[in-house]
Amino acid sequence: MRLTSPPKPRRFGQLQVAGEVSILELDAHAHPGLQKGSNGTQGNAEGGNFCVSSSSLDEILSEMVIVVPCKDEDLDVIRGVIAAIPHACLVILVSNCKRAEDDAYEQQVKMVHTFAGYGRQILVIHQKDSVAAAALQASRMSELLDPADGRIRNGKGEGMLLAIAIAEAFCPEKRYVGFVDADNFIPATVSEYCTAFAAGFAMSRSPEQEDTLVRLRWNSKPKIRNGKVEKVEQGRCSRIVNNWLNRLFASEAPGETLNPLITTANAGEHAMTMALAKKLRMAAGYAIEPFHFVDLLVRGRLEGNTSSSARDVEGSNRTETSTKPLDKPVTVRQIRTCSPHWHRESDDEHIRHMWAAGLGSIYHGLAPYRAKNGAIKQLCKDMHAYAVNNNGVEKTTGQLPCPRTYPALETMDITTFRRMLRRGMGKDSFHALGLDSSEED
Ligand code: GDD
């Protein structure tokens, strides 16, 4: 793969954010004679470009888990997404489809079985799995459960967290975890996304030296208007959340020109080192992606500048684990894809819900820092005013929504979780295909 050269990342304490790079060629090879990259890869900056060889990409892909959160997409669409994930990646499909209706989940499981037997490793689970809920309860992750029914809460973020816990429990040797949405109508783009994740990791130092978060910006979102295809550069939600995150980062780098630094606030397609996935606090539902930036800035920069009283983050329900400063540098890499992204069209209400959740995660996540940091105080005030003017506040409180944030997964008892889930394999909804520890093949 050939990409534009990675710009020097901007530093915010332990957090480094690199500006966007673009994919120039999907299949390009590093030239012989170039120096080895610091990650033991052949990726090198040369003449303004960065090449990563197929063998380096393959090596990273073989250490990667790809999570597909799905709900009620057509079976064929989900099948296409799985079919396009590079074979070396282990796949986890987390479904939250309605279970009672026309056996949609049974159909999804059957579809997944069609990939088995060819050396493919796939795990599939329903978000409402009773064994998984009990296992989370027993392993100190009860925050993920809905007290009303004791099952895992609804939400994309919640499904992703369950998948990370499963990845850690069943494939601890994997070093990276990536996420791709299931509502993608062009399967081949999924292959590009996973390879782009690998290229992002190849640009960074090894996971032992630093953690990396790779976020993708779709080249465009095509829309059909008056019979013509129009390329929309930024989605309706991303446009808003990017803008506020850029204001936040600019306030932390006074006097510097950051050009819009953040272009991937709502990157549904993203990947990170497993170590980072265990360390990050994650937010509920669609707030999960914007909140990555908040947690990283808080723990990479703001926590070092504030008294420990700031550790009780509003909205967090396990304060002792909340804002431990990062123990290692984290680099955020943003990559613009070659392909446009074609997916299910969302209505205005869904988009409003997504940006309000994103802004709410920033607003409430920064609450402990408002008193001491004048720029953050002003930003939050302006953000609230924007939300009021654009119908983004809750009717009952007049405030931006406060998305739940979950404790980092590193605080859970993974041994208990693994033991209970393994014992329950095949009993409710959890199936593992192609793994050494599988009960099925
Ligand atoms: N397991 C699970 N559980 N999956 C879910 C849930 C849930 O409760 N809710 C949604 N998903 C899945 C959907 O089935 C889909 O595959 C994916 O998550 C994205 O959900 P959509 O509802 O289709 O989101 P979107 O397309 O409007 O937004 C996407 O892009 C945004 C950036 O433009 C999402 O990825 C957002 O998170 C992202 O910010």
Side-chain angles (χ1 to χ4, degrees):
M1 181 171 273
R2 187 161 63 88
L3 306 102
T4 53
S5 207
K8 197 168 177 294
R10 297 292 179 143
R11 246 202 132 82
F12 302 90
Q14 285 279 63
L15 169 66
Q16 304 190 92
V17 183
E20 184 180 288
V21 297
S22 298
I23 297 176
L24 298 171
E25 263 188 283
L26 289 175
D27 183 26
H29 296 247
H31 310 292
L34 290 180
Q35 303 152 4
K36 287 263 181 203
S38 56
N39 196 7
T41 71
Q42 292 178 288
N44 288 279
E46 193 203 43
N49 290 183
F50 183 91
C51 287
V52 193
S53 70
S54 311
S55 58
S56 301
L57 294 170
D58 286 347
E59 197 179 317
I60 295 174
L61 288 168
S62 71
E63 299 182 306
M64 198 182 294
V65 173
I66 295 292
V67 174
V68 185
C70 78
K71 221 161 78 173
D72 45 12
E73 284 75 22
D74 281 355
L75 202 57
D76 272 350
V77 175
I78 308 174
R79 182 189 288 113
V81 167
I82 295 178
I85 295 172
H87 188 86
C89 301
L90 185 145
V91 178
I92 303 181
L93 180 70
V94 191
S95 178
N96 198 17
C97 63
K98 291 193 188 72
R99 277 186 96 173
E101 282 176 21
D102 60 28
D103 270 350
Y105 184 66
E106 292 311 311
Q107 299 299 322
Q108 290 174 357
V109 172
K110 266 193 200 152
M111 177 272 291
V112 162
H113 271 85
T114 63
F115 288 94
Y118 299 93
R120 176 117 245 190
Q121 298 182 306
I122 309 191
L123 301 156
V124 54
I125 191 163
H126 197 278
Q127 201 157 319
K128 300 294 171 183
D129 186 281
S130 57
V131 181
L136 287 167
Q137 172 81 51
S139 53
R140 296 197 298 270
M141 259 298 153
S142 54
E143 288 86 347
L144 268 174
L145 308 181
D146 186 341
D149 61 3
R151 300 294 170 109
I152 298 171
R153 296 174 194 273
N154 290 323
K156 181 188 169 206
E158 285 74 357
M160 289 160 67
L161 272 163
L162 170 64
I164 300 168
I166 291 176
E168 172 62 5
F170 290 88
C171 22
E173 71 288 356
K174 299 286 179 186
R175 301 209 294 171
Y176 309 100
V177 58
F179 304 88
V180 295
D181 286 349
D183 66 329
N184 183 334
F185 298 146
I186 314 290
T189 59
V190 176
S191 172
E192 178 185 342
Y193 298 162
C194 298
T195 312
F197 295 156
F201 292 120
M203 284 175 192
S204 295
R205 291 185 292 161
S206 77
E208 286 69 38
Q209 294 168 299
E210 70 173 353
D211 281 313
T212 300
L213 168 60
V214 184
R215 305 171 74 88
L216 304 190
R217 174 181 174 189
W218 304 324
N219 185 288
S220 64
K221 278 203 342 183
K223 306 264 171 212
I224 299 182
R225 288 198 189 112
N226 304 324
K228 285 193 177 154
V229 179
E230 276 179 29
K231 286 182 169 183
V232 177
E233 290 241 338
Q234 267 197 90
R236 289 165 287 171
C237 172
S238 302
R239 204 175 305 149
I240 297 168
V241 187
N242 278 336
N243 179 39
W244 287 101
L245 277 177
N246 276 315
R247 280 189 58 176
L248 171 63
F249 278 94
S251 76
E252 286 299 309
E256 287 184 51
T257 315
L258 297 183
N259 290 318
L261 180 66
I262 311 292
T263 54
T264 57
N266 281 75
E269 273 69 25
H270 64 270
M272 59 186 93
T273 46
M274 265 309 282
L276 183 60
K278 289 187 280 174
K279 209 180 285 177
L280 271 185
R281 289 175 310 146
M282 299 209 193
Y286 298 109
I288 187 164
E289 288 101 7
F291 187 71
H292 290 152
F293 281 112
V294 178
D295 198 40
L296 288 171
L297 186 66
V298 163
R299 292 165 63 186
R301 162 79 157 241
L302 298 175
E303 233 351 80
N305 298 342
T306 335
S307 74
S308 58
S309 63
R311 288 171 187 246
D312 290 351
V313 171
E314 209 175 297
S316 168
N317 36 12
R318 197 190 290 173
T319 52
E320 75 270 21
T321 63
S322 58
T323 50
K324 195 167 77 176
L326 296 172
D327 56 351
K328 229 180 4 187
V330 175
T331 299
V332 176
R333 305 228 167 251
Q334 305 178 93
I335 301 180
R336 187 160 185 182
T337 64
C338 211
S339 306
H341 185 89
W342 209 307
H343 69 149
R344 185 174 47 190
E345 187 65 34
S346 304
D347 61 28
D348 288 346
E349 184 51 25
H350 178 77
I351 299 292
R352 193 191 59 75
H353 170 73
M354 279 208 300
W355 69 250
L359 295 197
S361 77
I362 303 170
Y363 180 89
H364 294 285
L366 295 175
Y369 308 95
R370 277 185 227 151
K372 287 202 167 177
N373 186 320
I376 287 182
K377 186 176 175 188
Q378 186 61 44
L379 178 97
C380 289
K381 202 170 156 213
D382 295 348
M383 199 185 292
H384 179 254
Y386 175 87
V388 169
N389 289 334
N390 291 279
N391 203 17
V393 291
E394 288 178 330
K395 286 198 175 66
T396 45
T397 61
Q399 292 296 320
L400 273 158
C402 181
R404 193 179 300 278
T405 53
Y406 296 106
L409 285 176
E410 66 185 2
T411 62
M412 76 184 275
D413 174 359
I414 204 73
T415 311
T416 300
F417 179 74
R418 180 189 305 114
R419 185 170 33 81
M420 288 181 67
L421 210 51
R422 178 172 286 158
R423 241 190 256 149
M425 209 180 266
K427 293 201 176 115
D428 187 344
S429 73
F430 185 39
H431 304 269
L433 311 174
L435 255 71
D436 288 345
S437 61
S438 305
E439 299 197 348
E440 312 169 41
D441 255 315

